Amino acid sequence: MSVRRGLVAGRTSATEREVTREEAQRIAVRAQLLDGSAKTVLETVRHLGFLQLDPIATVATPQELVLWSRLGSHDRGALERLLRQRKLFEWNAFLWPIEALPVVRALMRRWRRSERYSHERRARQFLRDNVAFRRYVRRELERQGPLLSRELEDLSAGGRRNHRWYGARRVGIMLDVLHLYGELAIVGRRGNQKLWDLAERWYPETETLSLHEAERMLAAHAFRNLGVRHEKGRWLAHPDVSAAPVPDRVMVLSPFDRLVYDRDRAEALFDFRYRIEIYVPPARREYGYYVLPLLAGHELVGRVEPLVDRKAGTMRVLGAWGDTSRLDEALVPLAAHLGVELEQRLPVTRRGSGPSSRSSAARSRRS
């Protein structure tokens, strides 16, 4: 299997060039396909390298929003279909193009060998304490797989304590550890529940890459995918991405969108301070629970907190900040894509008016 397509396509070493901040903004937007150049779901995932998965869907899941911001209206069942066709695969809460499997297998080997971090040591100790449980899980999947977690007995050793993510049952821990190690694969879903099977029955054969080569490929792709990097006060651009003006599109972005995922980089590049506040107590939030950045052309101009009520078939705007004069251009088509209607009411602006503004109360709390 070739790994030169998608995740690691193009140059693996690049001669960077220095650009102005405005040029860097345009390059970053274009490199992330936020210029309207994306064509299909599969090509988009291949270009981006991966899609981060998360279940939070106050509007839509992050993976859906990332595709929407690039493709606009598209087949919402495409990701599930591409997974069934094995053109994509899921690992470690990301969707990857199948061409990236050799790279990911190197990361799986790192998981199996590393004890650098406490969570890696805990995973290894869990397997040491549960040799028989591991054999049972593999045997049941070999005989009857694919299976849901609830279709496997909890034969784990040790006392029963509620885990903050897994509860009292430890089947999920075993499945996740073996998945990270590359022994098990997520082969689909039944409803929202993962279907598990042996990795050798799901993943194709691939060439073997060293961890060093895999990390080099990931770094090369990250530079091409992000377009620019900030070093010692200078913006350095990848040579393959144009700094020409980008179309004047207006889109909301997922909090997990790679344009804003590195919060410090986003602030330096766009003068846009952005944090996700889902774990912040309501009284201490600067903006809202799940606020989305608003991109217009090559600038982050504001933010909005929409909320979809699927039973009512509506999208409400709980708050908006910054330049929201073109908010409907972003939300009306998104609501239509999700099959709901945008409630036509003026959004309430509170706690700051600019895209990167902060209320004095919030500033005083942090000082």
Side-chain angles (χ1 to χ4, degrees):
M1 173 181 291
S2 170
V3 297
R4 300 293 173 185
R5 181 181 178 188
L7 177 67
V8 291
R11 308 183 188 197
T12 54
S13 62
T15 303
E16 55 207 24
R17 67 191 194 276
E18 187 172 356
V19 295
T20 67
R21 194 177 75 153
E22 184 175 339
E23 288 173 326
Q25 291 171 348
R26 297 198 295 258
I27 290 168
V29 168
R30 179 170 280 109
Q32 277 287 300
L33 298 184
L34 287 161
D35 60 347
S37 62
K39 301 302 180 185
T40 70
V41 170
L42 181 57
E43 289 175 6
T44 300
V45 178
R46 281 174 172 162
H47 179 93
L48 298 178
F50 48 75
L51 284 181
Q52 185 169 353
L53 302 175
D54 194 89
I56 296 177
T58 59
V59 180
T61 62
Q63 54 270 28
E64 290 181 289
L65 284 174
V66 166
L67 292 176
W68 161 258
S69 299
R70 287 149 179 83
L71 292 163
S73 187
H74 62 277
D75 179 4
R76 298 184 66 194
L79 287 180
E80 184 177 345
R81 183 173 62 254
L82 291 168
L83 282 165
R84 288 197 306 269
Q85 295 170 346
R86 306 189 198 194
K87 294 179 179 179
L88 300 178
F89 69 99
E90 181 176 343
W91 183 74
N92 198 17
F94 289 85
L95 290 180
W96 305 78
I98 196 64
E99 294 83 13
L101 184 56
V103 171
V104 172
R105 277 184 158 146
L107 302 181
M108 293 172 177
R109 289 197 304 276
R110 181 175 65 187
W111 259 98
R112 293 196 295 269
R113 297 170 183 172
S114 176
E115 292 190 358
R116 179 179 179 183
Y117 299 106
S118 60
H119 63 273
E120 295 169 335
R121 295 191 292 272
R122 286 195 300 270
R124 188 178 290 268
Q125 187 61 49
F126 180 79
L127 293 183
R128 291 193 191 106
D129 294 341
N130 288 279
V131 174
F133 185 26
R134 181 181 190 172
R135 284 199 300 265
Y136 159 75
V137 168
R138 288 188 57 90
R139 184 174 64 248
E140 288 302 298
L141 289 173
E142 183 178 7
R143 291 174 177 174
Q144 304 182 60
L147 294 172
L148 301 171
S149 171
R150 66 170 180 261
E151 295 173 320
L152 293 162
E153 291 185 53
D154 183 359
L155 302 182
S156 60
R160 288 292 179 267
R161 284 191 311 177
N162 275 343
H163 189 282
R164 64 174 180 167
W165 291 336
Y166 297 97
R169 276 173 54 86
R170 297 185 178 182
V171 175
I173 298 176
M174 178 61 74
L175 293 172
D176 280 345
V177 171
L178 295 183
H179 173 63
L180 290 170
Y181 280 23
E183 293 186 29
L184 304 183
I186 299 167
V187 302
R189 275 175 170 73
R190 192 180 298 162
N192 291 323
Q193 301 299 307
K194 296 173 183 175
L195 277 169
W196 300 88
D197 208 344
L198 297 177
E200 58 262 32
R201 287 211 293 236
W202 188 252
Y203 296 144
E205 291 295 321
T206 66
E207 62 183 294
T208 300
L209 298 178
S210 69
L211 179 58
H212 174 75
E213 178 71 359
E215 289 177 336
R216 186 183 67 81
M217 289 179 169
L218 286 169
H221 180 268
F223 186 25
R224 172 62 179 81
N225 182 38
L226 295 173
V228 290
R229 58 180 171 224
H230 200 214
E231 292 183 2
K232 298 179 180 179
R234 300 186 304 155
W235 289 104
L236 302 176
H238 193 284
D240 292 347
V241 188
S242 170
V246 298
D248 189 27
R249 303 170 75 236
V250 183
M251 288 285 172
V252 291
L253 303 180
S254 161
F256 298 93
D257 198 293
R258 256 42 198 181
L259 191 70
V260 296
Y261 187 81
D262 183 333
R263 310 305 193 206
D264 293 337
R265 175 181 182 269
E267 187 167 3
L269 184 56
F270 298 103
D271 191 24
F272 187 87
R273 186 183 188 278
Y274 177 68
R275 301 291 186 273
I276 190 168
E277 298 183 282
I278 56 177
Y279 300 116
V280 177
R284 297 184 60 191
R285 287 177 190 148
E286 191 172 350
Y287 294 103
Y289 174 77
Y290 203 72
V291 174
L292 310 181
L294 183 64
L295 177 71
H298 66 269
E299 295 181 294
L300 292 171
V301 298
R303 62 195 84 204
V304 61
E305 185 178 15
L307 177 65
V308 168
D309 184 333
R310 288 166 179 81
K311 289 184 179 180
T314 60
M315 176 188 289
R316 290 188 295 130
V317 174
L318 303 183
W321 304 263
D323 182 357
T324 59
S325 58
R326 301 175 64 188
L327 191 57
D328 279 2
E329 291 182 52
L331 294 187
V332 170
L334 175 58
H337 176 68
L338 298 175
V340 298
E341 184 176 352
L342 178 65
E343 289 188 355
Q344 294 300 319
R345 64 171 63 178
L346 290 175
V348 177
T349 301
R350 61 188 189 273
R351 293 194 187 181
S353 58
S356 59
S357 63
R358 296 181 282 253
S359 69
S360 58
R363 284 195 296 270
S364 64
R365 280 195 297 268
R366 285 191 293 273
S367 59

